[in-house]
Amino acid sequence: MSVAAAPPLPSPTPLLSIAGFRRITPQQYHNLHHSGVIQEGEPVELLEGYMVEKKMRNPPHDNGVRCLTRLLYRHTPPNWEPQVQCAVSLGASEPEPDGAILRGLRQDYQAKLPAAADLGLVIEVSDSTLAFDRRDKGRIYARAGIPVYWIVNVVDRRIEVYTNPDPAANPPEYTASAVYLPGQAVPLVLNGVAVSAIPVGEFLG
């Protein structure tokens, strides 16, 4: 069964292009958390130096995250660690991908956020944020050199897989992509090796 290429990404634009917005560093962002200005669990993440409010969650997204959580814990091999909706440290960005697979063991991350070199795969579950996840999150993850980025596209009921990041491109981008449809299985590739294959239908509930 053939695998289609993912759709071309929209022309990139800055997250915030309005004059007067101030960028902050990760340390300043952490200070806002520690001081209580940003409360634990508040729906914001640091993206390219800006605090960006997350979209309100809805049942299709939450169902996708539940499916993803079950699958990550079932298919992640030894010496890798699944992570769901937790922050990662990517320079000026600290996104909170819906899913990720980290190198090593859970104990390795008790006192630090996973960094780009720790990430074998990042995943976003997308419905109302589909364009944002393709363009902005894709740019951020490609800039960090994360080797594989999946979008669980609950709108079109498919999995989009982006690989071969080019951090030096302007803007950074993934140079290869594929789409997997119901009836197909998505290869779970870590360190360049396919360790499992997951039926698309299991992501979509």
Side-chain angles (χ1 to χ4, degrees), residues 167-197:
N170 186 20
E173 63 179 353
Y174 285 93
T175 61
S177 64
V179 168
Y180 294 85
L181 303 173
Q184 298 176 313
V186 186
L188 174 56
V189 177
L190 298 171
N191 271 354
V193 177
V195 298
S196 184

Side-chain angles (χ1 to χ4, degrees), residues 12-23 48 50 136 139:
T13 56
L15 281 173
L16 292 175
S17 58
I18 302 172
F21 278 85
R22 176 185 170 187
R23 300 181 73 186
E48 297 180 328
Y50 295 104
D136 297 292
R139 180 178 66 248

